[in-house]
Amino acid sequence: STLPCNSNGECFTVDDYVQMADESDSIARRMFEKTSKDSRRMSLIEAWTLLRHLSNITSTARNTTRGRKIIRILSGHDITLEPLIQLLSINHRIPTHYSSRVVFEVSFEIQAD
């Protein structure tokens, strides 16, 4: 599908999008410096529910019967991902790229009695 054009035939391009995303990144970084205590606190508050849920999933998996494998797939949006990756100090672009993802893979062996 083509990108939108105006009545003069001037069309929005991928370069236009990249330029807009770079400007958004610049504005967001000025508003919420990564080193700011308030920014880190906001990210922690926003990411807390997801991190707590991941912790509960891990605890549940550890307490399941032997041999049982569990896969949990959680989905979110950039509004969910942004605070999480900022809190984890992962270098990224603001706004996050479409199709961005964070994968947590937890593997452990249940000891036999």
Side-chain angles (χ1 to χ4, degrees):
S1 152
T2 60
L3 294 171
C5 301
N6 65 18
S7 58
N8 296 331
E10 299 165 326
C11 299
F12 190 76
T13 67
V14 173
D15 288 338
D16 293 330
Y17 171 78
V18 170
Q19 183 180 358
M20 186 177 63
D22 287 342
E23 183 63 25
S24 296
D25 180 59
S26 174
I27 291 167
R29 288 187 194 282
R30 286 194 307 268
M31 288 174 57
F32 302 104
E33 284 296 321
K34 285 186 173 187
T35 56
S36 160
K37 283 184 187 179
D38 292 335
S39 178
R40 297 274 301 166
R41 286 179 184 153
M42 252 176 32
S43 292
L44 177 59
I45 289 167
E46 292 179 37
W48 173 253
T49 303
L50 177 59
L51 293 173
R52 178 75 175 166
H53 186 64
L54 290 170
S55 174
N56 289 341
I57 288 172
T58 303
S59 294
T60 300
R62 285 182 174 202
N63 295 324
T64 59
T65 58
R66 278 183 236 111
R68 186 173 173 203
K69 297 187 189 264
I70 297 175
I71 295 175
R72 302 279 181 176
I73 299 173
L74 308 175
S75 178
H77 200 270
D78 57 344
I79 329 176
T80 309
L81 195 57
E82 175 63 33
L84 180 64
I85 58 181
Q86 183 175 351
L87 184 67
L88 296 173
S89 298
I90 297 172
N91 191 18
H92 66 288
R93 171 191 211 136
I94 301 172
T96 52
H97 289 286
Y98 291 123
S99 301
S100 295
R101 64 203 156 280
V102 174
V103 176
F104 293 93
E105 185 174 326
V106 180
S107 178
F108 50 86
E109 186 176 320
I110 298 174
Q111 299 296 321
D113 292 335

